[in-house]
Structures are given as structure tokens and as C-alpha cells.
Amino acid sequence: MIEATELTKRYGERTAVDRLSFTVRPGRVTGFLGPNGAGKSTTMRLILGLDAASGGRVTVGGKAYRDLPVPLRAVGSLLDAKGVHGGRSAYHHLAGLAASNGIPRRRVDEVLDLVGLPAATARGRAKGFSLGMGQRLGIAAALIGDPEVLILDEPVNGLDTEGIRWIRELMKSLAAEGRTVFLSSHLMSEMELTADHLIVIGRGRLIADTTMRDFIETNSRAHTLVRTPEPEKLRALLESVGAQVRLDATGGWRVDGPDAATIGNLARDHGLALHELTSTHSSLEEVYTALSQSSVEYRTENQKEAAR
Ligand code: ADP
């Protein structure tokens, strides 16, 4: 469990994290969302004791990071996958971490196995690693102390689809074991597939702390996907009752406005056959983009980013 209470971080005049309170609970993957500059990395650094808070507090398993007897056993993190010294082998990097934290050396082989890094590769210099292998090594380091809490900043950055799917499944399985998994990503489609819960911030402040499902359902406009052998007729009909109709990525009509029953009845009344009529919600990406455009919190931040 991670608990932030009125957590604040100021850099000179700038408030990067502003009285932020939230709880990241065990047993589920919690996604951390916010536009660039919202304060996600700063918050993660505060949790990990890499930066001192200007106000408030944050604890991991009830303790401030600096009070954890063996930090790596309580919390594992991946903040920058390129953090490994290029001249050392992955194996030595992990063995060094294990030794300095009183973790048995056999755990190195366990985590290498867990992240799918072959022993021969792990003995070679990390400098020759691909981004994907570097990411696996970073995750191996995060897992070495078998921690209850995992914090990962953009873990899928630069990975191919296979690597992305692997991280997704790993995060879910770690959460299913009862661990606390806190994860930031700017890839909304991936976040939607991975996270059960969301904490959304803007300009260092809390905007939402809710389940993925609630976040999408509360903020999305329901729409209906319709297919018909007479698409133009149906479109004209729907537009005549004020519906917004556009082509869906799959070639059907995406209809905003009337619900599925109204559309079905309308088609029947005009003798039009329907081959599909599906009520659906927006994706996380659509909801998040709409929120970004409508919220002052977000807009101000994005404009600042654009002006930089
Ligand atoms: P995010 O991870 O959401 O993109 P950050 O936590 O990196 O956001 O940054 C939040 C704000 O704090 C930004 O305006 C950033 O410029 C500022 N900031 C972050 N780190 C520092 C620092 N070391 N010194 C000064 N300002 C910083």
C-alpha cells in the first residue's frame, strides 16, 4: 500500500505536486495518468525517497521510504531503464544489488528467469542490450527483493508489441499475488488493458481516483455501433433526428445521440435492415482526450507544454 497525504513538492516558485492525497491499494494494478509536466515522476520520486517533500507525507507499507529497514524488500521501482552501468553485466548488476541488500544470490537467477533474460545474455555487458532487454533488466532489479510494492514509470516505453504484452501480463500477475502495482504510461490503450484503478492528476493536483470502469463510464458518452446494407439511407435517417453519425474504424456507423432502442425502432419504421446494433462506451483514450480538452487544469498545462 502507498499512502500520500497532502503531499507537496515545490521547485522554487513552481509547485510540481500540490497537496496530493491518494492511496494505492494492493491486489490491483493502479494506473497513474496526467499530461506531461503534471507531476507524475516527481510523485514517484517522492514515494521512493529520491526527492524530499516540501510538505505532507507519503508512506510505503505504513513507513516513509527512509525508515524502511531494507527498502528493496519493500518496494521495487523502474524509473529509468537506462540506469544500469553499461560496462557491467546484467548478472553483476543484480548480484551487486542483492549483496548490498542482504538478498541471497540465488534470487538473481530467479529474477532473470522471471523476466526471461537468458543466463548467457545476462553475463554479457549491459551496454549491448536492446531497449527491451534493458527494460527486462530494470524489472528484474525492481523484483529482486520480492517487494510487496512496485512502482514503474513508463515501463513499456520503446517496447515492441510482444514486450508490451509481456509487461502487461507480468503487472497483472504481480497484482493477482496481492502486491501493490503503481504504473504510469502515456499509452492509453495499454493502460486501459492493464490497470484496474486510476489516479489522474493535473498540475500536481488530484483529478480522479477511481476504478477504470467508473472513470470511463462516468466521463464517456455512450454511443452505438450500427451496420446496415443501406448505410447512406440509415445515415440520412439518423441525421434527420439530430444524431451525429460517423464512420467507425471497422466500417460501421458510430452514432452519438439516440440510444440503441431508438435507432432500432427508427430503422424498423423505415423498413431498413440492421446487421449490427451495439451499445458501447468510449475508450480510455477518448475519455482522457475529451477531459484534457475540457478541463481547465489540463488545458492550462497543455498550453504551457506547447509554449515551451
Ligand atoms: P510528469 O512526470 O507528469 O511529466 P514531472 O513530475 O516530471 O511531471 O514534472 C512536474 C513539474 O515539475 C514540471 O513542471 C517540471 O518542469 C517540474 N520539475 C520536475 N523536476 C524538477 C526539478 N528537478 N527542478 C525543477 N523543476 C522540476
Side-chain angles (χ1 to χ4, degrees):
M1 180 122 96
I2 304 168
E3 278 182 288
T5 314
E6 299 273 308
L7 190 63
T8 300
K9 178 67 189 180
R10 282 183 287 272
Y11 293 109
E13 293 285 282
R14 181 163 192 107
T15 306
V17 175
D18 196 358
R19 284 168 295 140
L20 195 56
S21 298
F22 61 83
T23 303
V24 186
R25 294 181 196 283
R28 63 193 190 192
V29 177
T30 300
F32 197 21
L33 292 184
N36 273 343
K40 302 180 297 297
S41 300
T42 303
T43 303
M44 287 181 161
R45 285 204 308 274
L46 294 172
I47 299 171
L48 294 164
L50 295 170
D51 225 333
S54 317
R57 66 192 303 257
V58 61
T59 58
V60 178
K63 288 195 168 78
Y65 189 89
R66 63 174 180 279
D67 297 330
L68 294 169
V70 185
L72 275 190
R73 286 186 186 272
V75 50
S77 63
L78 176 75
L79 295 194
D80 177 5
K82 291 184 284 296
V84 182
H85 194 281
R88 293 173 79 187
S89 74
Y91 188 91
H92 276 105
H93 171 67
L94 296 173
L97 276 181
S100 56
N101 286 275
I103 294 161
R105 188 172 265 239
R106 66 179 143 72
R107 180 69 186 154
V108 173
D109 295 305
E110 280 175 22
V111 290
L112 284 172
D113 194 40
L114 200 64
V115 303
L117 274 181
T121 311
R123 298 259 178 198
R125 280 166 194 255
K127 199 155 49 184
F129 272 25
S130 67
L131 192 55
M133 289 197 293
Q135 213 79 330
R136 283 174 197 254
L137 174 56
I139 291 175
L143 292 174
I144 195 143
D146 199 15
E148 281 301 309
V149 176
L150 278 147
I151 297 179
L152 302 116
D153 198 4
E154 299 282 353
V156 300
N157 252 4
L159 292 187
D160 58 13
T161 22
E162 195 273 325
I164 291 176
R165 194 170 52 230
W166 171 74
I167 291 202
R168 184 197 313 151
E169 294 310 318
L170 180 67
M171 297 303 109
K172 284 172 178 275
S173 65
L174 291 167
E177 288 169 13
R179 294 176 214 260
T180 302
V181 182
F182 193 36
L183 167 83
S184 83
S185 174
H186 68 280
L187 294 178
M188 293 299 139
S189 53
E190 190 47 36
M191 192 61 109
E192 184 171 359
L193 291 172
T194 312
D196 312 295
H197 198 91
L198 284 178
I199 290 173
V200 187
I201 65 170
R203 297 173 71 198
R205 294 197 197 131
L206 190 71
I207 288 177
D209 178 351
T210 178
T211 62
M212 176 70 75
R213 179 192 284 254
D214 269 3
F215 184 73
I216 292 178
E217 286 183 2
T218 311
N219 295 296
S220 89
R221 288 225 319 244
H223 57 264
T224 309
L225 184 67
V226 195
R227 262 177 243 281
T228 168
E230 298 181 89
E232 284 313 319
K233 265 195 189 166
L234 181 66
R235 184 189 22 198
L237 191 56
L238 288 166
E239 285 180 346
S240 75
V241 297
Q244 282 185 334
V245 184
R246 57 197 160 99
L247 208 54
D248 175 75
T250 62
W253 291 129
R254 187 194 143 134
V255 185
D256 285 290
D259 64 7
T262 309
I263 296 168
N265 292 341
L266 198 63
R268 180 204 55 204
D269 293 348
H270 290 80
L272 275 175
L274 295 185
H275 289 180
E276 181 176 349
L277 183 63
T278 311
S279 299
T280 123
H281 279 286
S282 312
S283 65
L284 175 63
E285 176 134 40
E286 288 168 323
V287 166
Y288 183 75
T289 307
L291 197 69
S292 311
Q293 283 160 359
S294 66
S295 157
V296 177
E297 300 276 16
Y298 279 72
R299 201 161 51 229
T300 320
E301 195 58 47
N302 285 335
Q303 278 165 355
K304 267 191 226 143
E305 280 297 319
R308 270 182 202 147

